[in-house]
Amino acid sequence: MGNSIHPTAIVEPSVVLGDGNHIGAYTVIEGDVRIGDGNWIGPHVTIGTPAQYVTEKFEFNGQRQVVSPSATAACCAST
């Protein structure tokens, strides 16, 4: 049984895929990644990249609030 990879998905040549995997639309898999057999990876998934680092957030009232990187790290480290 082969893998089912959507035409819009990007799977780098360095990725090792097992057998019988389904990879959804607009998924990106890159880096030194190994995926076993029989997995279902949905659309719009990114695997193998560092986490996104965000320094700004937008409040519901439309006002932009700038958050310092140290405050973001402290916030996320405690959860």
Side-chain angles (χ1 to χ4, degrees):
M1 175 195 256
N3 292 308
S4 171
I5 302 173
H6 194 275
T8 60
I10 299 171
V11 180
E12 282 190 347
S14 61
V15 174
V16 178
L17 285 177
D19 196 30
N21 294 299
H22 171 84
I23 299 174
Y26 304 103
T27 292
V28 177
I29 305 174
E30 60 186 4
D32 186 20
V33 174
R34 291 175 180 260
I35 297 176
D37 298 334
N39 296 288
W40 191 90
I41 300 170
H44 303 279
V45 173
T46 302
I47 298 174
T49 60
Q52 183 179 8
Y53 185 70
V54 178
T55 59
E56 293 181 349
K57 70 177 186 179
F58 293 87
E59 301 296 326
F60 289 114
N61 63 5
Q63 299 296 315
R64 186 170 92 173
Q65 178 181 3
V66 177
V67 179
S68 71
S70 59
T72 304
C75 165
C76 298
S78 64
T79 57

